Amino acid sequence: MEGFSLKSRAIAFAMCAGAVAFILALAAASTPEMITVESAGRALIAAIVCGVMCWASAERTIASTAGSIDAAITRLAQAANGDLESAIPHEVGENVPQLANAMEGLFRQLHSNLESVQRLAMFDPVTSLANRTNFRRTAERMLADMPPGENAVLYFIDLDRFKAVNDTLGHATGDALLGMVANRLRAVADRFAGAGARAPLIGRLAGDEFTMFFPGLADLKDADRIGRGILFALSESFDLADQEVSIGASIGIAIRPEHGTTLHDLMRAADAAMYHAKAMGRGRAEHFTDQLAAEIAERAQLESDLREAVDKDQFALVFQPQVSATDGRIVAAEALLRWRHPDGLKMPGAFLQRAEETGLIVEIGEWVLQSVARTIARWGELGIGQRLAVNISQRQIDHANFFRRLREAMHAARAPAALLELEMTETLAMHCSSEVIDAIAALRADGATVAIDDFGTGYSNLSRLRELPVDRIKLDRSVIEQVANHAEARAIAQAMIGLIHGLGCEAVAEGIENEDQAAVLRVIGCDVLQGYAVAQPMAEDEFLAWARGVEPRRIAV
């Protein structure tokens, strides 16, 4: 019976009932031996009467109900295909009202659930603004519908001091602040809505990053007015947790078609302009410019070249001696990274920041780690007793695993740890975690030494400095630059050397450029000197030859 409706089944039931009535009437009217045409006719009349009565009953009750159920099944099939708006067939409400009410309740609940899913999928739950996916889809559709030369402006907004609010007042308060920011952005959009041909679009991309898109801007002068309006709205304090909180924002501005016609191009341009605004002091709005475009292209090319340098092993170490201030003997050498670029040798300042930004510093650091271990192993076999100092980057000092791998590499190369010295900047030393300190302490227990670099340029907590496993502290070149010419500079350098000795560490001066500086530093108590006045950085073979010539003669600088 599959494929037949309930109504057709009811009709079939009526016909079967008539047939049964015919057989029973025929049987009741006569015996098998006495069946005649007359008796069969009487039975047929009774069967027809019975069938008609069954048909009437089925039509009135079963067939009408079955027809309503058939209509309900058809309507449910439409709902399964996404149609929740069409009305429920009237015959269902007339013949099966309970079913009609249940279907209406089901459709209302499904519609509500779908709306909730839509909101979660397309709107940010904290601010009720369009989320990243929704903003991108809507903005791309708006851009596609715009005529080729029509202007539009995209604003990339990053809150300046939001993290401090989250850290001090908690995430719940931070979410409340984001909601207030969204309301102020809506107010700005409403105020300037007439500047564009269509209503502006606002989105929250992630964290404290917001975007505003104004399509069809009639006058590009309005772009600056809107930017100032956003800055003003977000510079006013917010009333949070019974206190006033000020955050401000940095804004990047990209214009269609000048800076691109696709959302990808506009987002990239506005993002770069926003970072430029932060670099310029925050709390300002900056346009994307040709200069920024050139810098982006340069950074992209530098990243590509760095990846190629990692693949082709274009890096090298050079070594700059550190000598005793009293007798000129070599006490250590600092390993310095160089990039053998096809266009010429590049110094670390030309590429390390980009390596940090792209994460390539991890691969470069791994290369340095292995190279230092192999170099120390060679020096140990040659009987060289001078230490090899290696600089630790911010990315490396954030991970205790780097120091563990360095220790493993030293053991694997059978390199004597006594020849290894780790150098970290003053600022990094103040912020490294206890796990990192433990990992450094393990290397120090093997015999390695630790130095603080660039001392005098950051903020030092003396109690924290006493807790660190430190052996040497290197004065920054800015501290010793004027010691030969200015009494104040000498007094400051001497005080810092006294502080270093008070901590039980050796004082090392780097960046020595002339004999006068070296002479003053000897007098005020500096222990070790490093700089071009001693020797320039050299390749390993050149350094070893230089060391063999200097060591026996104990030449003072």
Side-chain angles (χ1 to χ4, degrees):
M1 297 292 290
E2 186 175 354
F4 291 92
S5 67
L6 290 177
K7 186 173 183 178
S8 63
R9 295 180 186 183
I11 294 172
F13 168 76
M15 293 176 66
C16 290
V20 170
F22 170 73
I23 295 171
L24 291 176
L26 186 63
S30 59
T31 61
E33 294 81 7
M34 297 176 60
I35 295 177
T36 63
V37 173
E38 184 180 355
S39 64
R42 289 194 298 270
L44 180 59
I45 292 171
I48 291 173
V49 172
C50 183
V52 169
M53 294 177 64
C54 288
W55 162 253
S57 176
E59 177 65 23
R60 181 173 297 179
T61 56
I62 301 176
S64 59
T65 301
S68 299
I69 293 175
D70 287 338
I73 292 172
T74 302
R75 180 65 189 88
L76 287 171
Q78 293 172 346
N81 291 324
D83 180 10
L84 299 178
E85 303 296 334
S86 298
I88 295 174
H90 69 277
E91 60 263 38
V92 178
E94 290 178 358
N95 297 311
V96 196
Q98 299 92 337
L99 178 58
N101 293 335
M103 290 175 65
E104 287 180 356
L106 175 63
F107 292 167
R108 281 196 303 270
Q109 186 62 48
L110 286 174
H111 197 274
S112 175
N113 290 346
L114 288 175
E115 285 184 343
S116 298
V117 171
Q118 177 76 1
R119 283 194 300 271
L120 290 173
M122 303 303 288
F123 293 90
D124 172 51
V126 175
T127 63
S128 297
L129 296 175
N131 62 15
R132 179 185 293 271
T133 301
N134 188 4
F135 180 86
R136 285 185 176 277
R137 289 179 181 175
T138 307
E140 286 172 350
R141 187 167 58 251
M142 295 167 78
L143 284 167
D145 293 340
M146 291 177 63
E150 191 174 21
N151 295 322
V153 181
L154 177 69
Y155 298 88
F156 198 108
I157 306 159
D158 188 89
L159 305 183
D160 284 336
R161 292 175 291 276
F162 175 73
K163 185 177 184 301
V165 175
N166 248 0
D167 293 343
T168 56
L169 301 180
H171 290 282
T173 303
D175 287 348
L177 174 59
L178 292 174
M180 294 179 181
V181 168
N183 288 335
R184 292 192 183 182
L185 292 179
R186 290 188 184 96
V188 172
D190 291 341
R191 181 151 54 98
F192 292 100
R198 289 173 292 280
L201 174 66
I202 313 173
R204 180 190 175 206
L205 299 188
D208 58 352
E209 295 178 344
F210 294 82
T211 47
M212 293 182 71
F213 180 63
F214 280 78
L217 204 65
D219 188 349
L220 285 181
K221 293 180 181 178
D222 290 329
D224 289 323
R225 293 177 54 240
I226 295 170
R228 289 193 298 270
I230 297 172
L231 284 176
F232 180 77
L234 299 183
S235 64
E236 292 187 326
S237 60
F238 295 83
D239 187 9
L240 281 171
D242 297 327
Q243 60 181 300
E244 290 189 347
V245 175
S246 297
I247 51 172
S250 298
I251 303 173
I253 304 174
I255 298 173
R256 176 198 190 268
E258 181 180 351
H259 303 139
T261 56
T262 67
L263 182 64
H264 173 77
D265 291 340
L266 292 174
M267 288 285 285
R268 185 177 62 172
D271 186 43
M274 183 274 293
Y275 278 107
H276 180 61
K278 282 190 176 294
M280 294 294 289
R282 301 188 175 191
R284 57 194 298 144
E286 293 288 337
H287 284 263
F288 186 71
T289 63
D290 292 339
Q291 181 180 351
L292 285 176
E295 291 175 0
I296 290 173
E298 184 179 349
R299 287 200 300 269
Q301 184 61 51
L302 180 57
E303 179 181 352
S304 175
D305 290 348
L306 277 172
R307 294 189 184 280
E308 185 176 355
V310 170
D311 294 337
K312 295 184 176 181
D313 195 20
Q314 293 178 349
F315 295 103
L317 293 180
V318 294
F319 306 89
Q320 186 173 40
Q322 297 175 355
V323 300
S324 169
T326 57
D327 56 18
R329 62 188 174 84
I330 303 174
V331 296
E334 182 177 358
L336 301 170
L337 185 64
R338 298 291 185 266
W339 178 9
R340 298 187 299 252
H341 192 276
D343 295 337
L345 199 66
K346 289 187 178 291
M347 306 292 281
F351 62 88
L352 277 188
Q353 181 178 354
R354 188 58 180 160
E356 288 272 6
E357 293 170 351
T358 58
L360 286 169
I361 192 66
V362 175
E363 296 177 65
I364 297 172
E366 191 70 26
W367 180 89
V368 171
L369 180 152
Q370 298 296 333
S371 298
V372 165
R374 290 193 298 267
T375 301
I376 290 177
R378 286 195 301 271
W379 288 12
E381 293 173 358
L382 294 172
I384 297 173
Q386 289 83 20
R387 301 182 307 275
L388 180 60
V390 58
N391 288 284
I392 307 300
S393 74
Q394 180 174 357
R395 179 69 67 93
Q396 291 161 341
I397 208 168
D398 286 340
H399 300 283
N401 193 43
F402 168 81
F403 299 94
R404 298 191 189 103
R405 292 200 313 275
L406 176 57
R407 191 174 183 223
E408 292 169 359
M410 293 286 290
H411 290 168
R414 299 183 181 276
L419 298 186
L420 173 66
E421 181 164 290
L422 303 175
E423 286 190 9
M424 66 188 81
T425 66
E426 178 183 10
T427 302
L428 292 182
M430 292 301 104
H431 296 93
C432 57
S433 66
S434 57
E435 186 182 11
V436 167
I437 292 176
D438 291 342
I440 295 174
L443 273 168
R444 196 164 178 256
D446 290 344
T449 54
V450 178
I452 300 295
D453 198 9
D454 298 337
F455 188 73
T457 60
Y459 171 75
S460 289
N461 183 317
L462 294 182
S463 62
R464 167 78 167 172
L465 199 56
R466 283 197 304 269
E467 296 171 357
L468 294 173
V470 177
D471 302 281
R472 292 171 188 83
I473 297 179
K474 300 180 71 174
L475 295 172
D476 186 72
R477 65 185 62 216
S478 63
V479 176
I480 56 91
E481 187 175 15
Q482 300 294 330
V483 294
N485 305 317
H486 294 87
E488 295 86 353
R490 286 194 294 274
I492 292 172
Q494 186 171 12
M496 294 180 71
I497 290 172
L499 174 62
I500 292 169
H501 288 162
L503 292 169
C505 300
E506 285 188 332
V508 182
E510 61 180 351
I512 307 297
E513 296 182 354
N514 55 64
E515 172 59 28
D516 292 339
Q517 291 174 332
V520 170
L521 289 165
R522 286 193 200 95
V523 171
I524 63 178
C526 191
D527 302 298
V528 178
L529 306 176
Q530 176 185 351
Y532 280 16
V534 177
Q536 294 191 11
M538 297 169 276
E540 184 178 1
D541 292 342
E542 187 181 355
F543 168 76
L544 294 178
W546 185 89
R548 284 192 292 269
V550 170
E551 184 73 22
R553 294 181 287 171
R554 294 285 198 268
I555 295 178
V557 178

